[in-house]
Amino acid sequence: QVQLMESGGGSVQAGGSLKLSCTTSGRTFSSAFMGWFRQAPGKEREFVASIRWGDGQIYYQESVKGRFTISRDNAKNTVYLQVFSLKPEDTAVYYCAASPPAPAAQAFTAMAYDYWGQGTQVTVSS
């Protein structure tokens, strides 16, 4: 059973930054993705960013490009999401997720991910 452990959330003022971490206990596959999603109160869960273990291919949601950076440390089975220039609309529970080996086209969809972390709250005040 794969387990994902997230950390790094918190409360910051607008313009601040945080670094979220997600460590997986499972085996990693070169063509599998690790993704970050978020869910704000009253809204659906949305894709934020993803990275492929093998070649590091990265995808971002358009609204976070230039402000969020996803990275990985294969030796530690850990994926990071560094978030800069936070805005109040970034307030949400952030989830990391692990997919099985998958084509790139599925990197953006929650349904492609089999395992999910418990979520970490990010709150941005104005």
Side-chain angles (χ1 to χ4, degrees):
Q1 181 73 12
V2 174
Q3 291 186 324
L4 303 178
M5 293 297 296
E6 299 152 340
S7 61
S11 297
V12 298
Q13 292 189 327
S17 61
L18 289 169
K19 187 174 184 178
L20 310 183
S21 301
C22 176
T23 299
T24 175
S25 64
R27 177 185 172 186
T28 60
F29 296 89
S30 60
S31 59
F33 286 90
M34 290 291 288
W36 286 95
F37 292 76
R38 65 185 180 185
Q39 188 166 19
K43 295 188 177 181
E44 293 187 355
R45 190 170 299 189
E46 64 174 0
F47 169 79
V48 175
S50 63
I51 188 167
R52 190 156 53 195
W53 281 115
D55 61 5
Q57 180 66 50
I58 288 171
Y59 301 94
Y60 291 106
Q61 183 202 103
E62 196 65 32
S63 70
V64 306
K65 281 183 179 179
R67 298 191 300 120
F68 289 15
T69 301
I70 189 170
S71 62
R72 77 202 191 291
D73 185 333
N74 292 55
K76 296 181 179 180
N77 278 12
T78 298
V79 173
Y80 305 96
L81 184 69
Q82 191 127 24
V83 297
F84 303 95
S85 302
L86 282 162
K87 305 175 182 180
E89 51 264 42
D90 294 318
T91 294
V93 178
Y94 283 70
Y95 298 90
C96 72
S99 84
Q106 296 183 10
F108 310 89
T109 60
M111 289 181 61
Y113 294 80
D114 289 345
Y115 301 99
W116 293 81
Q118 78 284 0
T120 186
Q121 177 71 46
V122 172
T123 302
V124 186
S125 57
S126 57

